[in-house]
Amino acid sequence: MSDLLSRLRAIVGYWHVLTGARKTARYRAGYRTGSGAALAVVRPGNLLEQWRVVQACVAADISIVMQAANTGLTGGSTPDGDDYPGGCVIISTTRISTLHLIDGGRQAICLPGTTLHALEQALAPLGREPHSVIGSSCFGASVVGGICNNSGGSLVQRGPAFTQLSLHAIVRPDGALDLVNHLGVALGDDPETVLRRLDAGDFDASDIEDAKDRWAHDHAYAAHVRDIDSAEPARFNADSRRLFEASGSAGKAIVFAVRVDSFPKEEGAVTFYVGTNDPARLTRLRRTILRDFSALPIAGEYMHRDAFDIADRYGKDMFVAIERMGTARLPRLFAAKSWVDNLPCIRPGWSDRMMQRFGRLLPDHLPPEMRRFRDRFAHHLLLKMPARAAAEARELLAADFDGGEADHFECTPALGAKAFLHRFVAAGAAVRYRAVHRQAVADIVALDIALPRNATAWQEILPADLAAQSIHSLYYGHFFCHVFHQDYIVRRGVDPLAFEHRIWALLDERGAEYPAEHNVGHLYRAKPALERFYRSLDPRNQCNPGLGQTTRQRYWGGQQKEAARP
């Protein structure tokens, strides 16, 4: 082990090889779930260092966990437990954050640590934007992480994060490390030359292939999501249609860069705030828009009143921080919070409780229009339409959401921004609730599910005994894609795993797929198609072993010659 640490320090420098429980704590624990031991956390500063670090770990037969911003919700970018073959090294790529805009900004080449926020800022002067513009981007999530982990995003027209253009490495059964350049950029043949040139941006337009036969986003999704009579969900983690090399790889391939499309920024978009006590009205709205409208919505975000309330109370300080500080400073804020949480004199959850107390002192952050709808309606929908379809939306809403049991109002840009921000702090609000009420909470069971596109009974009604085991059941999600986040704050004394398995059985009866837009991590069992994909990428099972509750044994528990079979 000491020889490996010496080798790693020689590659990246002494200060970028972290050892010891305190120094590595924030890298070893997932944002919402999961934690484990690591021999070291290594922070390469460029692609060549990343390549050499991986080479050293492969040669030492050490298990490798790749990690970017560590904002995932299923623990898939952190170790889970202590029983990794050879021990575990986490490779954190946040220092490798270069991006290259190509084709006038119509595409971007993003290195492993490039954040969605940085890409959004680079594209803004060009009137363009990345695949995802709010949600994970608020918390410093990386572009590569989104591609690798099947990130869904909130934008209806774009589908899940996806590309067929990447530069990645595969650990072969014999321990050789192969660099695969499917980025569509001619950079040479020698791996170190390729990585040096890409890092430095040492290429020009003549080196870039047109690559029209390979997609840098899911071109088929707009037609796919409109198929409202299909019994298959629109998007989910194990969908073999969108498992391709880096896309969906979840750490089973070593990704150095991805090439992704950007999109023209919608000018003149209109946001409607919709409320109802009748779920059937939202069903009609969804089906009508997807079937009949000339243009798809930009976004359609659902939130139940209970999720509204928890986000209101336990996401207030985060809402204000994002609104006033912007997203660029949030990763540093989270890093500082993690540092405080790991001080030996600090009790678990102390920083969350302090932030919660601070939040209570802040003035009301939500507009009165939203408060009135909260009191009137159980079901809330944020409908953002492109300018060319706004008149259609106004006509439809005027006919079926005109007062009484259903209503709507048109948002100013400022009000619309607040409404969407409130929706997106809901994901962290359950985590805050658990930290503040540790004595009452066993844990959070957090599921993201995809319902069939033809499902009309989308609202979950829990059996009475399960409802009694949950302090709060929080529902929010991407309504037009029929992807829902379901967070259950389970009471102390209840077995969260048994609770989750009961929920799984109910979801199976409804024809749901899960997870929908995050990788399986260590919470879900990888379905056969997904496990086959993982095996094809990592026949030696050295990268993120155990993902999806699979075996952690080298060669997947078989012999090397068996692992090499396609």
Side-chain angles (χ1 to χ4, degrees), residues 285-315:
L285 176 74
R286 173 183 174 271
R287 291 179 65 85
T288 299
I289 290 176
L290 291 179
R291 182 186 61 230
D292 300 336
F293 272 33
S294 60
L296 287 172
I298 298 169
E301 292 298 298
Y302 169 79
M303 178 181 279
H304 189 272
R305 176 192 281 150
D306 294 342
F308 183 110
D309 289 345
I310 294 296
D312 181 18
R313 183 169 182 182
Y314 295 93

PDB file of all heavy atoms in Angstrom, residues 285-315:
ATOM      1  N   LEU A 285     -54.694  17.233 -19.111  1.00  0.00           N
ATOM      2  CA  LEU A 285     -53.777  18.278 -19.567  1.00  0.00           C
ATOM      3  C   LEU A 285     -52.545  17.659 -20.212  1.00  0.00           C
ATOM      4  O   LEU A 285     -52.137  18.049 -21.324  1.00  0.00           O
ATOM      5  CB  LEU A 285     -53.375  19.158 -18.388  1.00  0.00           C
ATOM      6  CG  LEU A 285     -52.345  20.252 -18.665  1.00  0.00           C
ATOM      7  CD1 LEU A 285     -52.978  21.388 -19.431  1.00  0.00           C
ATOM      8  CD2 LEU A 285     -51.737  20.761 -17.362  1.00  0.00           C
ATOM      9  N   ARG A 286     -51.940  16.709 -19.542  1.00  0.00           N
ATOM     10  CA  ARG A 286     -50.731  16.058 -20.068  1.00  0.00           C
ATOM     11  C   ARG A 286     -50.997  15.395 -21.408  1.00  0.00           C
ATOM     12  O   ARG A 286     -50.250  15.585 -22.384  1.00  0.00           O
ATOM     13  CB  ARG A 286     -50.216  15.032 -19.057  1.00  0.00           C
ATOM     14  CG  ARG A 286     -49.073  14.174 -19.573  1.00  0.00           C
ATOM     15  CD  ARG A 286     -48.638  13.126 -18.556  1.00  0.00           C
ATOM     16  NE  ARG A 286     -47.642  12.239 -19.146  1.00  0.00           N
ATOM     17  CZ  ARG A 286     -47.946  11.122 -19.807  1.00  0.00           C
ATOM     18  NH1 ARG A 286     -49.214  10.750 -19.950  1.00  0.00           N
ATOM     19  NH2 ARG A 286     -46.985  10.377 -20.330  1.00  0.00           N
ATOM     20  N   ARG A 287     -52.030  14.594 -21.478  1.00  0.00           N
ATOM     21  CA  ARG A 287     -52.304  13.845 -22.698  1.00  0.00           C
ATOM     22  C   ARG A 287     -52.659  14.786 -23.861  1.00  0.00           C
ATOM     23  O   ARG A 287     -52.239  14.568 -25.001  1.00  0.00           O
ATOM     24  CB  ARG A 287     -53.411  12.818 -22.451  1.00  0.00           C
ATOM     25  CG  ARG A 287     -52.969  11.680 -21.530  1.00  0.00           C
ATOM     26  CD  ARG A 287     -54.097  10.672 -21.284  1.00  0.00           C
ATOM     27  NE  ARG A 287     -54.478   9.983 -22.509  1.00  0.00           N
ATOM     28  CZ  ARG A 287     -53.870   8.903 -22.987  1.00  0.00           C
ATOM     29  NH1 ARG A 287     -52.816   8.388 -22.349  1.00  0.00           N
ATOM     30  NH2 ARG A 287     -54.300   8.321 -24.091  1.00  0.00           N
ATOM     31  N   THR A 288     -53.397  15.826 -23.579  1.00  0.00           N
ATOM     32  CA  THR A 288     -53.776  16.762 -24.636  1.00  0.00           C
ATOM     33  C   THR A 288     -52.563  17.481 -25.197  1.00  0.00           C
ATOM     34  O   THR A 288     -52.390  17.607 -26.420  1.00  0.00           O
ATOM     35  CB  THR A 288     -54.797  17.783 -24.109  1.00  0.00           C
ATOM     36  OG1 THR A 288     -55.976  17.092 -23.682  1.00  0.00           O
ATOM     37  CG2 THR A 288     -55.163  18.792 -25.183  1.00  0.00           C
ATOM     38  N   ILE A 289     -51.708  17.968 -24.313  1.00  0.00           N
ATOM     39  CA  ILE A 289     -50.526  18.709 -24.767  1.00  0.00           C
ATOM     40  C   ILE A 289     -49.582  17.800 -25.550  1.00  0.00           C
ATOM     41  O   ILE A 289     -49.101  18.164 -26.632  1.00  0.00           O
ATOM     42  CB  ILE A 289     -49.809  19.368 -23.569  1.00  0.00           C
ATOM     43  CG1 ILE A 289     -50.664  20.519 -23.016  1.00  0.00           C
ATOM     44  CG2 ILE A 289     -48.428  19.875 -23.966  1.00  0.00           C
ATOM     45  CD1 ILE A 289     -50.095  21.176 -21.787  1.00  0.00           C
ATOM     46  N   LEU A 290     -49.332  16.598 -25.024  1.00  0.00           N
ATOM     47  CA  LEU A 290     -48.399  15.708 -25.708  1.00  0.00           C
ATOM     48  C   LEU A 290     -48.958  15.225 -27.049  1.00  0.00           C
ATOM     49  O   LEU A 290     -48.213  15.050 -28.019  1.00  0.00           O
ATOM     50  CB  LEU A 290     -48.062  14.508 -24.825  1.00  0.00           C
ATOM     51  CG  LEU A 290     -47.214  14.791 -23.577  1.00  0.00           C
ATOM     52  CD1 LEU A 290     -46.985  13.516 -22.783  1.00  0.00           C
ATOM     53  CD2 LEU A 290     -45.881  15.425 -23.955  1.00  0.00           C
ATOM     54  N   ARG A 291     -50.258  15.035 -27.101  1.00  0.00           N
ATOM     55  CA  ARG A 291     -50.872  14.502 -28.328  1.00  0.00           C
ATOM     56  C   ARG A 291     -51.124  15.580 -29.375  1.00  0.00           C
ATOM     57  O   ARG A 291     -50.898  15.364 -30.569  1.00  0.00           O
ATOM     58  CB  ARG A 291     -52.186  13.805 -27.969  1.00  0.00           C
ATOM     59  CG  ARG A 291     -52.906  13.150 -29.157  1.00  0.00           C
ATOM     60  CD  ARG A 291     -54.269  12.618 -28.748  1.00  0.00           C
ATOM     61  NE  ARG A 291     -55.124  13.709 -28.271  1.00  0.00           N
ATOM     62  CZ  ARG A 291     -55.791  13.666 -27.118  1.00  0.00           C
ATOM     63  NH1 ARG A 291     -55.705  12.619 -26.307  1.00  0.00           N
ATOM     64  NH2 ARG A 291     -56.550  14.705 -26.755  1.00  0.00           N
ATOM     65  N   ASP A 292     -51.574  16.757 -28.945  1.00  0.00           N
ATOM     66  CA  ASP A 292     -52.157  17.711 -29.888  1.00  0.00           C
ATOM     67  C   ASP A 292     -51.367  18.996 -30.114  1.00  0.00           C
ATOM     68  O   ASP A 292     -51.560  19.643 -31.142  1.00  0.00           O
ATOM     69  CB  ASP A 292     -53.567  18.107 -29.419  1.00  0.00           C
ATOM     70  CG  ASP A 292     -54.513  16.920 -29.331  1.00  0.00           C
ATOM     71  OD1 ASP A 292     -54.264  15.915 -30.036  1.00  0.00           O
ATOM     72  OD2 ASP A 292     -55.492  16.994 -28.559  1.00  0.00           O
ATOM     73  N   PHE A 293     -50.525  19.385 -29.172  1.00  0.00           N
ATOM     74  CA  PHE A 293     -49.910  20.707 -29.294  1.00  0.00           C
ATOM     75  C   PHE A 293     -48.839  20.725 -30.392  1.00  0.00           C
ATOM     76  O   PHE A 293     -48.166  19.720 -30.653  1.00  0.00           O
ATOM     77  CB  PHE A 293     -49.296  21.140 -27.971  1.00  0.00           C
ATOM     78  CG  PHE A 293     -50.263  21.860 -27.067  1.00  0.00           C
ATOM     79  CD1 PHE A 293     -51.617  21.549 -27.056  1.00  0.00           C
ATOM     80  CD2 PHE A 293     -49.815  22.857 -26.208  1.00  0.00           C
ATOM     81  CE1 PHE A 293     -52.503  22.215 -26.226  1.00  0.00           C
ATOM     82  CE2 PHE A 293     -50.681  23.525 -25.374  1.00  0.00           C
ATOM     83  CZ  PHE A 293     -52.037  23.210 -25.379  1.00  0.00           C
ATOM     84  N   SER A 294     -48.688  21.880 -30.995  1.00  0.00           N
ATOM     85  CA  SER A 294     -47.701  22.034 -32.061  1.00  0.00           C
ATOM     86  C   SER A 294     -46.273  21.942 -31.545  1.00  0.00           C
ATOM     87  O   SER A 294     -45.357  21.561 -32.278  1.00  0.00           O
ATOM     88  CB  SER A 294     -47.901  23.386 -32.757  1.00  0.00           C
ATOM     89  OG  SER A 294     -47.748  24.454 -31.816  1.00  0.00           O
ATOM     90  N   ALA A 295     -46.056  22.282 -30.279  1.00  0.00           N
ATOM     91  CA  ALA A 295     -44.719  22.225 -29.674  1.00  0.00           C
ATOM     92  C   ALA A 295     -44.829  21.646 -28.275  1.00  0.00           C
ATOM     93  O   ALA A 295     -45.807  21.889 -27.561  1.00  0.00           O
ATOM     94  CB  ALA A 295     -44.091  23.617 -29.619  1.00  0.00           C
ATOM     95  N   LEU A 296     -43.825  20.882 -27.884  1.00  0.00           N
ATOM     96  CA  LEU A 296     -43.791  20.320 -26.539  1.00  0.00           C
ATOM     97  C   LEU A 296     -43.501  21.412 -25.511  1.00  0.00           C
ATOM     98  O   LEU A 296     -42.873  22.430 -25.820  1.00  0.00           O
ATOM     99  CB  LEU A 296     -42.695  19.260 -26.438  1.00  0.00           C
ATOM    100  CG  LEU A 296     -42.951  17.929 -27.133  1.00  0.00           C
ATOM    101  CD1 LEU A 296     -41.686  17.074 -27.092  1.00  0.00           C
ATOM    102  CD2 LEU A 296     -44.106  17.179 -26.474  1.00  0.00           C
ATOM    103  N   PRO A 297     -43.936  21.205 -24.267  1.00  0.00           N
ATOM    104  CA  PRO A 297     -43.518  22.128 -23.199  1.00  0.00           C
ATOM    105  C   PRO A 297     -42.009  22.126 -23.044  1.00  0.00           C
ATOM    106  O   PRO A 297     -41.336  21.140 -23.376  1.00  0.00           O
ATOM    107  CB  PRO A 297     -44.196  21.551 -21.952  1.00  0.00           C
ATOM    108  CG  PRO A 297     -45.253  20.632 -22.450  1.00  0.00           C
ATOM    109  CD  PRO A 297     -44.783  20.119 -23.775  1.00  0.00           C
ATOM    110  N   ILE A 298     -41.486  23.219 -22.532  1.00  0.00           N
ATOM    111  CA  ILE A 298     -40.079  23.242 -22.143  1.00  0.00           C
ATOM    112  C   ILE A 298     -39.904  22.419 -20.862  1.00  0.00           C
ATOM    113  O   ILE A 298     -38.976  21.625 -20.740  1.00  0.00           O
ATOM    114  CB  ILE A 298     -39.606  24.688 -21.924  1.00  0.00           C
ATOM    115  CG1 ILE A 298     -39.715  25.470 -23.229  1.00  0.00           C
ATOM    116  CG2 ILE A 298     -38.184  24.721 -21.380  1.00  0.00           C
ATOM    117  CD1 ILE A 298     -39.523  26.962 -23.065  1.00  0.00           C
ATOM    118  N   ALA A 299     -40.807  22.609 -19.913  1.00  0.00           N
ATOM    119  CA  ALA A 299     -40.758  21.872 -18.649  1.00  0.00           C
ATOM    120  C   ALA A 299     -42.165  21.762 -18.092  1.00  0.00           C
ATOM    121  O   ALA A 299     -43.021  22.621 -18.345  1.00  0.00           O
ATOM    122  CB  ALA A 299     -39.837  22.570 -17.642  1.00  0.00           C
ATOM    123  N   GLY A 300     -42.386  20.724 -17.328  1.00  0.00           N
ATOM    124  CA  GLY A 300     -43.655  20.536 -16.632  1.00  0.00           C
ATOM    125  C   GLY A 300     -43.379  19.850 -15.315  1.00  0.00           C
ATOM    126  O   GLY A 300     -43.300  18.622 -15.238  1.00  0.00           O
ATOM    127  N   GLU A 301     -43.207  20.638 -14.257  1.00  0.00           N
ATOM    128  CA  GLU A 301     -42.777  20.113 -12.964  1.00  0.00           C
ATOM    129  C   GLU A 301     -43.941  20.017 -11.991  1.00  0.00           C
ATOM    130  O   GLU A 301     -44.629  21.006 -11.722  1.00  0.00           O
ATOM    131  CB  GLU A 301     -41.674  21.002 -12.380  1.00  0.00           C
ATOM    132  CG  GLU A 301     -40.380  20.932 -13.158  1.00  0.00           C
ATOM    133  CD  GLU A 301     -39.802  19.538 -13.153  1.00  0.00           C
ATOM    134  OE1 GLU A 301     -39.470  19.036 -12.062  1.00  0.00           O
ATOM    135  OE2 GLU A 301     -39.691  18.934 -14.243  1.00  0.00           O
ATOM    136  N   TYR A 302     -44.118  18.817 -11.431  1.00  0.00           N
ATOM    137  CA  TYR A 302     -45.214  18.536 -10.504  1.00  0.00           C
ATOM    138  C   TYR A 302     -44.720  18.582  -9.057  1.00  0.00           C
ATOM    139  O   TYR A 302     -43.583  18.185  -8.758  1.00  0.00           O
ATOM    140  CB  TYR A 302     -45.803  17.162 -10.793  1.00  0.00           C
ATOM    141  CG  TYR A 302     -46.754  16.702  -9.711  1.00  0.00           C
ATOM    142  CD1 TYR A 302     -48.056  17.186  -9.663  1.00  0.00           C
ATOM    143  CD2 TYR A 302     -46.342  15.804  -8.724  1.00  0.00           C
ATOM    144  CE1 TYR A 302     -48.935  16.786  -8.654  1.00  0.00           C
ATOM    145  CE2 TYR A 302     -47.209  15.399  -7.720  1.00  0.00           C
ATOM    146  CZ  TYR A 302     -48.498  15.901  -7.683  1.00  0.00           C
ATOM    147  OH  TYR A 302     -49.354  15.516  -6.679  1.00  0.00           O
ATOM    148  N   MET A 303     -45.579  19.039  -8.179  1.00  0.00           N
ATOM    149  CA  MET A 303     -45.285  19.005  -6.742  1.00  0.00           C
ATOM    150  C   MET A 303     -46.593  18.873  -5.970  1.00  0.00           C
ATOM    151  O   MET A 303     -47.546  19.620  -6.210  1.00  0.00           O
ATOM    152  CB  MET A 303     -44.544  20.282  -6.306  1.00  0.00           C
ATOM    153  CG  MET A 303     -44.251  20.351  -4.806  1.00  0.00           C
ATOM    154  SD  MET A 303     -43.411  21.900  -4.325  1.00  0.00           S
ATOM    155  CE  MET A 303     -41.747  21.500  -4.765  1.00  0.00           C
ATOM    156  N   HIS A 304     -46.635  17.897  -5.065  1.00  0.00           N
ATOM    157  CA  HIS A 304     -47.782  17.759  -4.186  1.00  0.00           C
ATOM    158  C   HIS A 304     -47.673  18.766  -3.042  1.00  0.00           C
ATOM    159  O   HIS A 304     -46.578  19.215  -2.686  1.00  0.00           O
ATOM    160  CB  HIS A 304     -47.852  16.331  -3.625  1.00  0.00           C
ATOM    161  CG  HIS A 304     -49.108  16.037  -2.873  1.00  0.00           C
ATOM    162  ND1 HIS A 304     -49.243  16.292  -1.528  1.00  0.00           N
ATOM    163  CD2 HIS A 304     -50.295  15.522  -3.279  1.00  0.00           C
ATOM    164  CE1 HIS A 304     -50.457  15.946  -1.131  1.00  0.00           C
ATOM    165  NE2 HIS A 304     -51.117  15.479  -2.173  1.00  0.00           N
ATOM    166  N   ARG A 305     -48.813  19.107  -2.472  1.00  0.00           N
ATOM    167  CA  ARG A 305     -48.828  20.093  -1.374  1.00  0.00           C
ATOM    168  C   ARG A 305     -47.901  19.688  -0.232  1.00  0.00           C
ATOM    169  O   ARG A 305     -47.221  20.544   0.373  1.00  0.00           O
ATOM    170  CB  ARG A 305     -50.254  20.251  -0.856  1.00  0.00           C
ATOM    171  CG  ARG A 305     -50.356  21.196   0.352  1.00  0.00           C
ATOM    172  CD  ARG A 305     -51.729  21.078   0.990  1.00  0.00           C
ATOM    173  NE  ARG A 305     -52.729  21.835   0.252  1.00  0.00           N
ATOM    174  CZ  ARG A 305     -54.021  21.503   0.173  1.00  0.00           C
ATOM    175  NH1 ARG A 305     -54.445  20.389   0.746  1.00  0.00           N
ATOM    176  NH2 ARG A 305     -54.870  22.268  -0.475  1.00  0.00           N
ATOM    177  N   ASP A 306     -47.826  18.395   0.106  1.00  0.00           N
ATOM    178  CA  ASP A 306     -46.961  17.969   1.208  1.00  0.00           C
ATOM    179  C   ASP A 306     -45.491  18.255   0.894  1.00  0.00           C
ATOM    180  O   ASP A 306     -44.735  18.689   1.770  1.00  0.00           O
ATOM    181  CB  ASP A 306     -47.149  16.474   1.485  1.00  0.00           C
ATOM    182  CG  ASP A 306     -48.540  16.153   2.015  1.00  0.00           C
ATOM    183  OD1 ASP A 306     -49.226  17.077   2.493  1.00  0.00           O
ATOM    184  OD2 ASP A 306     -48.945  14.975   1.930  1.00  0.00           O
ATOM    185  N   ALA A 307     -45.091  18.012  -0.353  1.00  0.00           N
ATOM    186  CA  ALA A 307     -43.716  18.334  -0.754  1.00  0.00           C
ATOM    187  C   ALA A 307     -43.496  19.847  -0.756  1.00  0.00           C
ATOM    188  O   ALA A 307     -42.425  20.335  -0.395  1.00  0.00           O
ATOM    189  CB  ALA A 307     -43.427  17.748  -2.132  1.00  0.00           C
ATOM    190  N   PHE A 308     -44.526  20.588  -1.168  1.00  0.00           N
ATOM    191  CA  PHE A 308     -44.470  22.058  -1.110  1.00  0.00           C
ATOM    192  C   PHE A 308     -44.151  22.504   0.312  1.00  0.00           C
ATOM    193  O   PHE A 308     -43.271  23.360   0.532  1.00  0.00           O
ATOM    194  CB  PHE A 308     -45.820  22.621  -1.567  1.00  0.00           C
ATOM    195  CG  PHE A 308     -45.902  24.122  -1.642  1.00  0.00           C
ATOM    196  CD1 PHE A 308     -45.973  24.757  -2.875  1.00  0.00           C
ATOM    197  CD2 PHE A 308     -45.932  24.909  -0.488  1.00  0.00           C
ATOM    198  CE1 PHE A 308     -46.060  26.142  -2.945  1.00  0.00           C
ATOM    199  CE2 PHE A 308     -46.019  26.290  -0.558  1.00  0.00           C
ATOM    200  CZ  PHE A 308     -46.083  26.900  -1.786  1.00  0.00           C
ATOM    201  N   ASP A 309     -44.850  21.929   1.284  1.00  0.00           N
ATOM    202  CA  ASP A 309     -44.690  22.364   2.669  1.00  0.00           C
ATOM    203  C   ASP A 309     -43.313  22.017   3.229  1.00  0.00           C
ATOM    204  O   ASP A 309     -42.689  22.834   3.926  1.00  0.00           O
ATOM    205  CB  ASP A 309     -45.773  21.721   3.541  1.00  0.00           C
ATOM    206  CG  ASP A 309     -47.154  22.292   3.263  1.00  0.00           C
ATOM    207  OD1 ASP A 309     -47.245  23.351   2.615  1.00  0.00           O
ATOM    208  OD2 ASP A 309     -48.156  21.666   3.687  1.00  0.00           O
ATOM    209  N   ILE A 310     -42.831  20.804   2.933  1.00  0.00           N
ATOM    210  CA  ILE A 310     -41.514  20.410   3.446  1.00  0.00           C
ATOM    211  C   ILE A 310     -40.416  21.248   2.787  1.00  0.00           C
ATOM    212  O   ILE A 310     -39.470  21.690   3.441  1.00  0.00           O
ATOM    213  CB  ILE A 310     -41.278  18.904   3.210  1.00  0.00           C
ATOM    214  CG1 ILE A 310     -42.269  18.079   4.052  1.00  0.00           C
ATOM    215  CG2 ILE A 310     -39.848  18.523   3.560  1.00  0.00           C
ATOM    216  CD1 ILE A 310     -42.105  18.242   5.546  1.00  0.00           C
ATOM    217  N   ALA A 311     -40.548  21.502   1.485  1.00  0.00           N
ATOM    218  CA  ALA A 311     -39.573  22.359   0.809  1.00  0.00           C
ATOM    219  C   ALA A 311     -39.618  23.777   1.362  1.00  0.00           C
ATOM    220  O   ALA A 311     -38.588  24.449   1.499  1.00  0.00           O
ATOM    221  CB  ALA A 311     -39.840  22.367  -0.696  1.00  0.00           C
ATOM    222  N   ASP A 312     -40.817  24.247   1.688  1.00  0.00           N
ATOM    223  CA  ASP A 312     -41.002  25.591   2.233  1.00  0.00           C
ATOM    224  C   ASP A 312     -40.263  25.737   3.563  1.00  0.00           C
ATOM    225  O   ASP A 312     -39.548  26.719   3.793  1.00  0.00           O
ATOM    226  CB  ASP A 312     -42.501  25.840   2.404  1.00  0.00           C
ATOM    227  CG  ASP A 312     -42.824  27.216   2.949  1.00  0.00           C
ATOM    228  OD1 ASP A 312     -41.949  28.099   2.883  1.00  0.00           O
ATOM    229  OD2 ASP A 312     -43.955  27.408   3.433  1.00  0.00           O
ATOM    230  N   ARG A 313     -40.405  24.750   4.409  1.00  0.00           N
ATOM    231  CA  ARG A 313     -39.833  24.859   5.758  1.00  0.00           C
ATOM    232  C   ARG A 313     -38.373  24.411   5.828  1.00  0.00           C
ATOM    233  O   ARG A 313     -37.558  25.046   6.502  1.00  0.00           O
ATOM    234  CB  ARG A 313     -40.663  24.033   6.740  1.00  0.00           C
ATOM    235  CG  ARG A 313     -40.171  24.166   8.168  1.00  0.00           C
ATOM    236  CD  ARG A 313     -41.142  23.581   9.168  1.00  0.00           C
ATOM    237  NE  ARG A 313     -40.671  23.750  10.544  1.00  0.00           N
ATOM    238  CZ  ARG A 313     -41.313  23.304  11.617  1.00  0.00           C
ATOM    239  NH1 ARG A 313     -42.469  22.664  11.474  1.00  0.00           N
ATOM    240  NH2 ARG A 313     -40.820  23.490  12.825  1.00  0.00           N
ATOM    241  N   TYR A 314     -38.049  23.313   5.114  1.00  0.00           N
ATOM    242  CA  TYR A 314     -36.716  22.727   5.265  1.00  0.00           C
ATOM    243  C   TYR A 314     -35.790  22.992   4.082  1.00  0.00           C
ATOM    244  O   TYR A 314     -34.652  22.536   4.083  1.00  0.00           O
ATOM    245  CB  TYR A 314     -36.846  21.214   5.514  1.00  0.00           C
ATOM    246  CG  TYR A 314     -37.542  20.914   6.818  1.00  0.00           C
ATOM    247  CD1 TYR A 314     -38.917  20.708   6.867  1.00  0.00           C
ATOM    248  CD2 TYR A 314     -36.832  20.884   8.014  1.00  0.00           C
ATOM    249  CE1 TYR A 314     -39.570  20.466   8.074  1.00  0.00           C
ATOM    250  CE2 TYR A 314     -37.470  20.639   9.220  1.00  0.00           C
ATOM    251  CZ  TYR A 314     -38.845  20.436   9.243  1.00  0.00           C
ATOM    252  OH  TYR A 314     -39.478  20.200  10.443  1.00  0.00           O
ATOM    253  N   GLY A 315     -36.266  23.725   3.096  1.00  0.00           N
ATOM    254  CA  GLY A 315     -35.415  24.116   1.979  1.00  0.00           C
ATOM    255  C   GLY A 315     -35.270  25.614   1.851  1.00  0.00           C
ATOM    256  O   GLY A 315     -34.685  26.107   0.886  1.00  0.00           O
TER     257      GLY A 315
END
